[in-house]
Amino acid sequence: MNIQEQSSGSAGAAPFQFNFAPPSNAVAVVGAEDKVFDPKYADTRGDSQELLKSIQAQLGPVDKEKLTQDFLAKLPQSVQDRVKRLQTLQKENTELLRKRDEEIKQIVLRYEKLQEPQFAERKKVVLGDEPAADGIKGVPEFWLNALKNHPEMAETITDADEEALKFLQDVSTHTLADKNGFGLSFFFAENPFFTNEVLTKEYIMDENDDDLENVVGCDIKWKEGKNLTVKVVKKKKGKGAKAKVVKKEEPIDSFFRFFSPPNLAELAGEEDEDDIDVHALVEADYELGSIVRQIVLSAVDWFTGAATLDLLGDDDEDDDEDDEDDEDEEEDEDEDEESEEEEPLKKGGKGKGGAGAGKGGKQNPQQQEECKQQ
């Protein structure tokens, strides 16, 4: 895109030209002198964050302030003044958005405080004070079933995990007061698996509340031989009489791995070496955390399965929309095929005999002879 504006100099001066069109085979970086980004290093998945990392790796650190000033210096003075005014307006707008987000957060925190009595009463009902006449106390396995009734959470819970989750008494969520993000707390009764009374996890967002900055889990204090996240494998080390049996722990799938989230700082350095998709790991972990938060806020609907039906209903609607799109595409293709079939008829003239037919649709002698030979 080229935009031209007459320079503020003499009337005969050449117009200043803004040329934002990059080279056909590379992405030009404004203010980076002769350095360009070679597209062969681009992430073919179209991940913008990975693309930016690739560009930064090739160009090195870029001074954003200097880059902006260098760019502005190339503009006519009148345009520089307007751009600076636009920058001032943007800063003012950004400050208003910051204040808005802060006020929204304070409202959220205030309403979370108002919800505390309801959640406390819910916990009391779930646990029960005294067994009823039928001998049943509270709502047995309430949280285990609430979690399992979400399809994605169910995939993370093994049979062994279920035995431990039967001791889960309550789950809570809260907005972080001193930073952006949210926290989760899982409260357990005394159980044969670990000594922790509560397991916690926090998702910390950046200052704009857009990107995940860090995930903080907790250390589960497993009792001897009860670690659900590993299996013990016996291996022989050495040969003959000197051979020894060595026990080694190997990781296995478990819901409780949720509390040992990926270390963003460590994985960032290992991604290239071990081909680890950090972005996918973090996204999957954050999605599970968001699902838990969703379950906490409407736990009884997940326990009864009502929320599961709503979720599956939403999926069905999405599938129906996809099916309708596919049907529309098929109809368009059928219409195109019909148009192609009718085209020769139009070119060959009118009549029931088709192309080249005479009156009454009869074939000419040459066509009759060709049919006989066939």
Side-chain angles (χ1 to χ4, degrees), residues 358-370:
K359 290 181 180 180
K362 295 180 180 179
Q363 293 176 313
N364 61 39
Q366 184 179 353
Q367 286 176 317
Q368 291 175 344
E369 185 62 28
E370 289 175 355

Side-chain angles (χ1 to χ4, degrees), residues 260-287:
S260 301
N263 187 308
L264 303 187
E266 291 180 3
L267 288 177
E270 297 176 0
E271 183 171 18
D272 294 335
E273 297 178 8
D274 300 336
D275 195 27
I276 298 174
D277 191 341
V278 177
H279 186 69
L281 286 174
V282 172
E283 283 293 322
D285 186 77
Y286 180 77
E287 183 178 355

Side-chain angles (χ1 to χ4, degrees), residues 198-218:
V198 57
L199 301 179
T200 61
K201 190 168 185 179
E202 287 187 352
Y203 291 90
I204 302 170
M205 312 299 289
D206 65 7
E207 60 181 6
N208 297 319
D209 205 20
D210 293 328
D211 298 317
L212 192 61
E213 193 172 82
N214 198 13
V215 186
V216 181
C218 67

Side-chain angles (χ1 to χ4, degrees), residues 111-165:
Y111 272 87
E112 284 185 358
K113 196 74 176 174
L114 293 174
Q115 287 177 305
E116 287 180 1
Q118 281 73 31
F119 288 141
E121 180 68 16
R122 180 177 71 182
K123 180 180 179 180
K124 184 177 179 182
V125 172
V126 168
L127 296 180
D129 292 329
E130 299 289 338
D134 57 6
I136 300 174
K137 184 179 179 182
V139 184
E141 301 177 12
F142 177 83
W143 286 104
L144 168 60
N145 286 288
L147 292 171
K148 284 181 60 180
N149 279 340
H150 193 291
E152 291 185 50
M153 289 303 302
E155 291 179 3
T156 70
I157 300 173
T158 67
D159 291 342
D161 292 333
E162 288 192 24
E163 294 305 311
L165 289 172

Side-chain angles (χ1 to χ4, degrees), residues 97-111 175:
L97 291 175
R98 187 195 65 76
K99 290 181 178 179
R100 179 203 66 181
D101 292 342
E102 181 58 34
E103 289 184 17
I104 290 174
K105 182 174 181 177
Q106 293 306 316
I107 292 173
V108 170
L109 290 172
R110 180 160 62 89
Y111 272 87
T175 300

Side-chain angles (χ1 to χ4, degrees), residues 339-364:
S339 299
E340 291 173 1
E341 291 174 358
E342 292 173 358
E343 192 65 24
L345 178 61
K346 293 178 182 178
K347 291 181 179 179
K350 299 178 180 178
K352 297 181 180 179
K359 290 181 180 180
K362 295 180 180 179
Q363 293 176 313
N364 61 39

Side-chain angles (χ1 to χ4, degrees), residues 144 156-167 188 191-194 199 220-232 249-260:
L144 168 60
T156 70
I157 300 173
T158 67
D159 291 342
D161 292 333
E162 288 192 24
E163 294 305 311
L165 289 172
K166 289 177 181 179
F167 294 90
F188 285 85
N191 62 82
F193 298 94
F194 46 81
L199 301 179
I220 302 179
K221 297 177 174 57
W222 296 101
K223 294 182 179 180
E224 185 67 28
K226 295 295 185 177
N227 191 337
L228 299 174
T229 65
V230 298
K231 65 178 180 179
V232 179
E249 290 185 344
E250 294 184 354
I252 57 174
D253 292 336
S254 170
F255 165 79
F256 289 94
R257 287 199 165 277
F258 176 74
F259 299 98
S260 301

